[in-house]
Amino acid sequence: MELETREKELLGKIDHRRIPGHVAMIMDGNGRWAQERGLPRSAGHRQGVETVRETVRFCNYLGIKALTLFAFSTENWRRPAREVNYLMSLPGQYLQTELPELVKNNVRVQLLGERNRLPAQVLRAIDEGLSATAGNSGMTLSFALNYGARREITRAVEALIGDLQLKGGKVSVSEDLLASYLYTAGLPDPDLLIRTGGEYRISNFLLWQLAYSELWFTPVYWPDFSRLHLLGAIADFQQRERRYGRISQK
Ligand code: IPE
Ligand code: IPE
Ligand code: MG
């Protein structure tokens, strides 16, 4: 990968033994990016796909084991139909051009979210991505599409109750057992959450999984989010002391 001088400098300052294993991103600010340029919101989403391409490549290059991208929330259906339709065309577009490279780079694609309500063409594209990369053992790239954390937890509880009823009798429910019913079963919790676009909220993303993640917010709009920003976030992450309730070791 061709890196610029500043990128190489920052990369040199990062501790490569402590790269966050799982990075989750709330890709926000596409609409405002476009509006500030007098463009339709769709132009921001289109540019946002370019950022996704670059980000996936760079995370893979950095050796990040799991990258989870919030692409469409259960609340985003409230947007005008035109915008929703445009957003729904993007996973297919992205995968169509990127799939060969993802396969080559040993990336495994995964969907987090409810399949029903997703248009058939999105499911087709995603399923093609899933099956083409199912055997891959490198970075896990999860797209949160039609994803809402409360929905995820509610479904998990529903499924768990169903299974417990089958077993009958009294069964204790551990945190790990409940987590195994979430879309993210098998994925470690995010070490680092990045939100672009300047909002300081979680917007119903990974409520369970973010319990002890380090949070990093930036006003930069997603289409402008660059390798330098990501390196900055990782450098910041490496300065933090993750105490998990214990007292400081410093
Ligand atoms: C993020 O950008 C993309 C999605 C939520 C699908 P937005 O479209 O939310 O952009 P802003 O927040 O309106 O600028
Ligand atoms: C969060 O962004 C969802 C995604 C990035 C897909 P939103 O733009 O929908 O968040 P809110 O509604 O402003 O909190
Ligand atoms: Mg937004």
PDB file of all heavy atoms in Angstrom, residues 15 17-18 38 48 61 95-96 98 134 136 141 154 164 176 193 203 205 207 214 217-218 220 224 245:
ATOM      1  N   ASP A  15       1.962   1.456  18.210  1.00  0.00           N
ATOM      2  CA  ASP A  15       2.475   0.196  18.745  1.00  0.00           C
ATOM      3  C   ASP A  15       1.761  -0.952  18.014  1.00  0.00           C
ATOM      4  O   ASP A  15       0.568  -1.184  18.224  1.00  0.00           O
ATOM      5  CB  ASP A  15       2.180   0.158  20.264  1.00  0.00           C
ATOM      6  CG  ASP A  15       2.669  -1.131  20.894  1.00  0.00           C
ATOM      7  OD1 ASP A  15       3.031  -2.072  20.147  1.00  0.00           O
ATOM      8  OD2 ASP A  15       2.684  -1.198  22.136  1.00  0.00           O
ATOM      9  N   ARG A  17       1.896  -4.031  18.293  1.00  0.00           N
ATOM     10  CA  ARG A  17       1.431  -5.175  19.077  1.00  0.00           C
ATOM     11  C   ARG A  17       0.097  -4.863  19.763  1.00  0.00           C
ATOM     12  O   ARG A  17      -0.513  -5.733  20.359  1.00  0.00           O
ATOM     13  CB  ARG A  17       2.465  -5.547  20.147  1.00  0.00           C
ATOM     14  CG  ARG A  17       3.761  -6.118  19.569  1.00  0.00           C
ATOM     15  CD  ARG A  17       4.869  -5.910  20.553  1.00  0.00           C
ATOM     16  NE  ARG A  17       4.890  -4.507  20.978  1.00  0.00           N
ATOM     17  CZ  ARG A  17       5.716  -3.978  21.869  1.00  0.00           C
ATOM     18  NH1 ARG A  17       6.589  -4.737  22.475  1.00  0.00           N
ATOM     19  NH2 ARG A  17       5.671  -2.692  22.173  1.00  0.00           N
ATOM     20  N   ARG A  18      -0.287  -3.574  19.722  1.00  0.00           N
ATOM     21  CA  ARG A  18      -1.524  -3.204  20.412  1.00  0.00           C
ATOM     22  C   ARG A  18      -2.530  -2.522  19.475  1.00  0.00           C
ATOM     23  O   ARG A  18      -3.182  -1.545  19.832  1.00  0.00           O
ATOM     24  CB  ARG A  18      -1.204  -2.312  21.619  1.00  0.00           C
ATOM     25  CG  ARG A  18      -0.478  -3.090  22.743  1.00  0.00           C
ATOM     26  CD  ARG A  18      -0.602  -2.386  24.070  1.00  0.00           C
ATOM     27  NE  ARG A  18      -0.124  -1.028  24.001  1.00  0.00           N
ATOM     28  CZ  ARG A  18      -0.841   0.049  24.330  1.00  0.00           C
ATOM     29  NH1 ARG A  18      -2.066  -0.086  24.753  1.00  0.00           N
ATOM     30  NH2 ARG A  18      -0.311   1.243  24.234  1.00  0.00           N
ATOM     31  N   GLY A  38     -23.556  21.906  -1.700  1.00  0.00           N
ATOM     32  CA  GLY A  38     -24.678  22.169  -2.604  1.00  0.00           C
ATOM     33  C   GLY A  38     -25.070  20.955  -3.427  1.00  0.00           C
ATOM     34  O   GLY A  38     -25.654  21.072  -4.500  1.00  0.00           O
ATOM     35  N   GLY A  48     -19.263   8.413   0.437  1.00  0.00           N
ATOM     36  CA  GLY A  48     -19.070   7.586   1.629  1.00  0.00           C
ATOM     37  C   GLY A  48     -18.647   6.162   1.278  1.00  0.00           C
ATOM     38  O   GLY A  48     -17.871   5.543   2.006  1.00  0.00           O
ATOM     39  N   TYR A  61      -4.823  -3.849   6.061  1.00  0.00           N
ATOM     40  CA  TYR A  61      -3.373  -3.606   6.012  1.00  0.00           C
ATOM     41  C   TYR A  61      -2.789  -3.489   7.423  1.00  0.00           C
ATOM     42  O   TYR A  61      -1.701  -3.977   7.706  1.00  0.00           O
ATOM     43  CB  TYR A  61      -3.137  -2.329   5.204  1.00  0.00           C
ATOM     44  CG  TYR A  61      -1.722  -1.831   5.190  1.00  0.00           C
ATOM     45  CD1 TYR A  61      -0.781  -2.370   4.319  1.00  0.00           C
ATOM     46  CD2 TYR A  61      -1.323  -0.783   6.043  1.00  0.00           C
ATOM     47  CE1 TYR A  61       0.521  -1.895   4.294  1.00  0.00           C
ATOM     48  CE2 TYR A  61      -0.025  -0.305   6.023  1.00  0.00           C
ATOM     49  CZ  TYR A  61       0.897  -0.867   5.149  1.00  0.00           C
ATOM     50  OH  TYR A  61       2.176  -0.398   5.132  1.00  0.00           O
ATOM     51  N   LEU A  95     -20.079  -4.338  -3.097  1.00  0.00           N
ATOM     52  CA  LEU A  95     -19.605  -5.720  -3.148  1.00  0.00           C
ATOM     53  C   LEU A  95     -19.268  -6.141  -4.572  1.00  0.00           C
ATOM     54  O   LEU A  95     -18.314  -6.889  -4.794  1.00  0.00           O
ATOM     55  CB  LEU A  95     -20.639  -6.662  -2.534  1.00  0.00           C
ATOM     56  CG  LEU A  95     -20.680  -6.603  -0.996  1.00  0.00           C
ATOM     57  CD1 LEU A  95     -21.873  -7.367  -0.458  1.00  0.00           C
ATOM     58  CD2 LEU A  95     -19.381  -7.140  -0.384  1.00  0.00           C
ATOM     59  N   GLN A  96     -20.035  -5.622  -5.526  1.00  0.00           N
ATOM     60  CA  GLN A  96     -19.773  -5.997  -6.912  1.00  0.00           C
ATOM     61  C   GLN A  96     -18.345  -5.634  -7.311  1.00  0.00           C
ATOM     62  O   GLN A  96     -17.648  -6.429  -7.937  1.00  0.00           O
ATOM     63  CB  GLN A  96     -20.757  -5.290  -7.831  1.00  0.00           C
ATOM     64  CG  GLN A  96     -20.811  -5.924  -9.193  1.00  0.00           C
ATOM     65  CD  GLN A  96     -21.940  -5.346 -10.021  1.00  0.00           C
ATOM     66  OE1 GLN A  96     -22.470  -4.272  -9.710  1.00  0.00           O
ATOM     67  NE2 GLN A  96     -22.326  -6.033 -11.058  1.00  0.00           N
ATOM     68  N   GLU A  98     -15.815  -4.746  -5.088  1.00  0.00           N
ATOM     69  CA  GLU A  98     -14.776  -5.092  -4.111  1.00  0.00           C
ATOM     70  C   GLU A  98     -14.605  -6.578  -3.850  1.00  0.00           C
ATOM     71  O   GLU A  98     -13.590  -6.997  -3.298  1.00  0.00           O
ATOM     72  CB  GLU A  98     -15.051  -4.405  -2.766  1.00  0.00           C
ATOM     73  CG  GLU A  98     -15.014  -2.895  -2.788  1.00  0.00           C
ATOM     74  CD  GLU A  98     -13.726  -2.312  -3.339  1.00  0.00           C
ATOM     75  OE1 GLU A  98     -12.675  -2.457  -2.667  1.00  0.00           O
ATOM     76  OE2 GLU A  98     -13.756  -1.712  -4.422  1.00  0.00           O
ATOM     77  N   ALA A 134     -16.902 -17.072   2.850  1.00  0.00           N
ATOM     78  CA  ALA A 134     -17.189 -17.848   4.063  1.00  0.00           C
ATOM     79  C   ALA A 134     -15.969 -18.585   4.592  1.00  0.00           C
ATOM     80  O   ALA A 134     -15.786 -18.715   5.804  1.00  0.00           O
ATOM     81  CB  ALA A 134     -18.324 -18.837   3.792  1.00  0.00           C
ATOM     82  N   ASN A 136     -12.900 -17.679   4.415  1.00  0.00           N
ATOM     83  CA  ASN A 136     -11.742 -16.827   4.681  1.00  0.00           C
ATOM     84  C   ASN A 136     -11.459 -16.699   6.171  1.00  0.00           C
ATOM     85  O   ASN A 136     -12.371 -16.712   6.996  1.00  0.00           O
ATOM     86  CB  ASN A 136     -11.944 -15.442   4.059  1.00  0.00           C
ATOM     87  CG  ASN A 136     -11.848 -15.500   2.542  1.00  0.00           C
ATOM     88  OD1 ASN A 136     -11.551 -16.554   1.990  1.00  0.00           O
ATOM     89  ND2 ASN A 136     -12.091 -14.385   1.889  1.00  0.00           N
ATOM     90  N   LEU A 141     -15.307  -8.618   8.184  1.00  0.00           N
ATOM     91  CA  LEU A 141     -15.906  -7.331   7.822  1.00  0.00           C
ATOM     92  C   LEU A 141     -17.413  -7.458   7.971  1.00  0.00           C
ATOM     93  O   LEU A 141     -18.067  -8.149   7.186  1.00  0.00           O
ATOM     94  CB  LEU A 141     -15.529  -6.993   6.373  1.00  0.00           C
ATOM     95  CG  LEU A 141     -16.231  -5.796   5.737  1.00  0.00           C
ATOM     96  CD1 LEU A 141     -15.958  -4.513   6.517  1.00  0.00           C
ATOM     97  CD2 LEU A 141     -15.793  -5.635   4.283  1.00  0.00           C
ATOM     98  N   THR A 154     -33.745  -7.893  21.767  1.00  0.00           N
ATOM     99  CA  THR A 154     -35.102  -8.433  21.922  1.00  0.00           C
ATOM    100  C   THR A 154     -35.228  -9.777  21.199  1.00  0.00           C
ATOM    101  O   THR A 154     -35.765 -10.746  21.746  1.00  0.00           O
ATOM    102  CB  THR A 154     -36.137  -7.422  21.374  1.00  0.00           C
ATOM    103  OG1 THR A 154     -35.890  -6.153  21.980  1.00  0.00           O
ATOM    104  CG2 THR A 154     -37.556  -7.853  21.677  1.00  0.00           C
ATOM    105  N   LEU A 164     -35.073 -22.346  25.750  1.00  0.00           N
ATOM    106  CA  LEU A 164     -35.178 -22.780  27.149  1.00  0.00           C
ATOM    107  C   LEU A 164     -36.465 -23.570  27.371  1.00  0.00           C
ATOM    108  O   LEU A 164     -36.484 -24.560  28.094  1.00  0.00           O
ATOM    109  CB  LEU A 164     -35.119 -21.582  28.098  1.00  0.00           C
ATOM    110  CG  LEU A 164     -33.785 -20.828  28.149  1.00  0.00           C
ATOM    111  CD1 LEU A 164     -33.833 -19.715  29.189  1.00  0.00           C
ATOM    112  CD2 LEU A 164     -32.621 -21.761  28.444  1.00  0.00           C
ATOM    113  N   ASP A 176     -22.724 -14.849  28.673  1.00  0.00           N
ATOM    114  CA  ASP A 176     -22.194 -15.476  27.462  1.00  0.00           C
ATOM    115  C   ASP A 176     -23.295 -16.195  26.677  1.00  0.00           C
ATOM    116  O   ASP A 176     -23.304 -16.179  25.452  1.00  0.00           O
ATOM    117  CB  ASP A 176     -21.085 -16.491  27.810  1.00  0.00           C
ATOM    118  CG  ASP A 176     -19.794 -15.786  28.197  1.00  0.00           C
ATOM    119  OD1 ASP A 176     -19.683 -14.570  27.921  1.00  0.00           O
ATOM    120  OD2 ASP A 176     -18.910 -16.437  28.786  1.00  0.00           O
ATOM    121  N   LEU A 193     -14.699   2.164  19.301  1.00  0.00           N
ATOM    122  CA  LEU A 193     -15.818   2.652  18.490  1.00  0.00           C
ATOM    123  C   LEU A 193     -15.462   4.036  17.973  1.00  0.00           C
ATOM    124  O   LEU A 193     -15.114   4.929  18.748  1.00  0.00           O
ATOM    125  CB  LEU A 193     -17.111   2.760  19.307  1.00  0.00           C
ATOM    126  CG  LEU A 193     -18.229   3.478  18.512  1.00  0.00           C
ATOM    127  CD1 LEU A 193     -18.873   2.544  17.500  1.00  0.00           C
ATOM    128  CD2 LEU A 193     -19.279   4.090  19.416  1.00  0.00           C
ATOM    129  N   SER A 203     -26.840   6.011  18.920  1.00  0.00           N
ATOM    130  CA  SER A 203     -27.873   5.755  17.898  1.00  0.00           C
ATOM    131  C   SER A 203     -28.235   4.281  17.741  1.00  0.00           C
ATOM    132  O   SER A 203     -28.353   3.772  16.614  1.00  0.00           O
ATOM    133  CB  SER A 203     -27.447   6.353  16.547  1.00  0.00           C
ATOM    134  OG  SER A 203     -27.211   7.730  16.652  1.00  0.00           O
ATOM    135  N   PHE A 205     -26.681   1.490  18.315  1.00  0.00           N
ATOM    136  CA  PHE A 205     -25.662   0.610  17.724  1.00  0.00           C
ATOM    137  C   PHE A 205     -25.024  -0.236  18.827  1.00  0.00           C
ATOM    138  O   PHE A 205     -24.580   0.295  19.845  1.00  0.00           O
ATOM    139  CB  PHE A 205     -24.602   1.488  17.042  1.00  0.00           C
ATOM    140  CG  PHE A 205     -23.601   0.743  16.187  1.00  0.00           C
ATOM    141  CD1 PHE A 205     -24.001  -0.269  15.328  1.00  0.00           C
ATOM    142  CD2 PHE A 205     -22.260   1.094  16.211  1.00  0.00           C
ATOM    143  CE1 PHE A 205     -23.080  -0.923  14.518  1.00  0.00           C
ATOM    144  CE2 PHE A 205     -21.328   0.451  15.402  1.00  0.00           C
ATOM    145  CZ  PHE A 205     -21.745  -0.561  14.553  1.00  0.00           C
ATOM    146  N   LEU A 207     -25.473  -1.891  21.535  1.00  0.00           N
ATOM    147  CA  LEU A 207     -25.607  -1.461  22.936  1.00  0.00           C
ATOM    148  C   LEU A 207     -24.988  -2.465  23.915  1.00  0.00           C
ATOM    149  O   LEU A 207     -24.383  -2.095  24.906  1.00  0.00           O
ATOM    150  CB  LEU A 207     -27.082  -1.248  23.288  1.00  0.00           C
ATOM    151  CG  LEU A 207     -27.739  -0.085  22.551  1.00  0.00           C
ATOM    152  CD1 LEU A 207     -29.211   0.014  22.948  1.00  0.00           C
ATOM    153  CD2 LEU A 207     -27.019   1.224  22.831  1.00  0.00           C
ATOM    154  N   GLU A 214     -13.664   1.533  23.979  1.00  0.00           N
ATOM    155  CA  GLU A 214     -13.187   2.914  24.019  1.00  0.00           C
ATOM    156  C   GLU A 214     -13.916   3.682  22.911  1.00  0.00           C
ATOM    157  O   GLU A 214     -14.038   3.192  21.787  1.00  0.00           O
ATOM    158  CB  GLU A 214     -11.673   2.973  23.787  1.00  0.00           C
ATOM    159  CG  GLU A 214     -10.870   2.290  24.880  1.00  0.00           C
ATOM    160  CD  GLU A 214     -11.073   2.950  26.249  1.00  0.00           C
ATOM    161  OE1 GLU A 214     -11.226   4.186  26.303  1.00  0.00           O
ATOM    162  OE2 GLU A 214     -11.085   2.224  27.260  1.00  0.00           O
ATOM    163  N   PHE A 217     -14.774  10.081  19.068  1.00  0.00           N
ATOM    164  CA  PHE A 217     -15.676  10.868  18.220  1.00  0.00           C
ATOM    165  C   PHE A 217     -14.883  11.909  17.436  1.00  0.00           C
ATOM    166  O   PHE A 217     -13.908  12.457  17.947  1.00  0.00           O
ATOM    167  CB  PHE A 217     -16.709  11.592  19.094  1.00  0.00           C
ATOM    168  CG  PHE A 217     -17.615  10.660  19.845  1.00  0.00           C
ATOM    169  CD1 PHE A 217     -17.315  10.254  21.147  1.00  0.00           C
ATOM    170  CD2 PHE A 217     -18.772  10.173  19.255  1.00  0.00           C
ATOM    171  CE1 PHE A 217     -18.150   9.385  21.841  1.00  0.00           C
ATOM    172  CE2 PHE A 217     -19.618   9.309  19.947  1.00  0.00           C
ATOM    173  CZ  PHE A 217     -19.308   8.911  21.236  1.00  0.00           C
ATOM    174  N   THR A 218     -15.314  12.159  16.236  1.00  0.00           N
ATOM    175  CA  THR A 218     -14.675  13.211  15.449  1.00  0.00           C
ATOM    176  C   THR A 218     -15.747  14.001  14.691  1.00  0.00           C
ATOM    177  O   THR A 218     -16.737  13.413  14.226  1.00  0.00           O
ATOM    178  CB  THR A 218     -13.650  12.634  14.440  1.00  0.00           C
ATOM    179  OG1 THR A 218     -13.175  13.701  13.605  1.00  0.00           O
ATOM    180  CG2 THR A 218     -14.242  11.545  13.568  1.00  0.00           C
ATOM    181  N   VAL A 220     -15.287  15.204  11.845  1.00  0.00           N
ATOM    182  CA  VAL A 220     -15.062  14.956  10.412  1.00  0.00           C
ATOM    183  C   VAL A 220     -16.225  14.153   9.831  1.00  0.00           C
ATOM    184  O   VAL A 220     -16.661  13.172  10.420  1.00  0.00           O
ATOM    185  CB  VAL A 220     -13.737  14.161  10.238  1.00  0.00           C
ATOM    186  CG1 VAL A 220     -13.562  13.680   8.809  1.00  0.00           C
ATOM    187  CG2 VAL A 220     -12.554  15.009  10.688  1.00  0.00           C
ATOM    188  N   ASP A 224     -15.025  12.415   4.377  1.00  0.00           N
ATOM    189  CA  ASP A 224     -13.685  12.994   4.547  1.00  0.00           C
ATOM    190  C   ASP A 224     -12.803  12.193   5.493  1.00  0.00           C
ATOM    191  O   ASP A 224     -11.650  12.560   5.733  1.00  0.00           O
ATOM    192  CB  ASP A 224     -13.788  14.429   5.111  1.00  0.00           C
ATOM    193  CG  ASP A 224     -14.308  15.415   4.079  1.00  0.00           C
ATOM    194  OD1 ASP A 224     -14.050  15.201   2.882  1.00  0.00           O
ATOM    195  OD2 ASP A 224     -14.972  16.393   4.485  1.00  0.00           O
ATOM    196  N   GLY A 245     -13.019  -1.503  35.586  1.00  0.00           N
ATOM    197  CA  GLY A 245     -13.464  -1.426  36.984  1.00  0.00           C
ATOM    198  C   GLY A 245     -12.360  -1.525  38.001  1.00  0.00           C
ATOM    199  O   GLY A 245     -12.568  -1.222  39.185  1.00  0.00           O
TER     200      GLY A 245
END
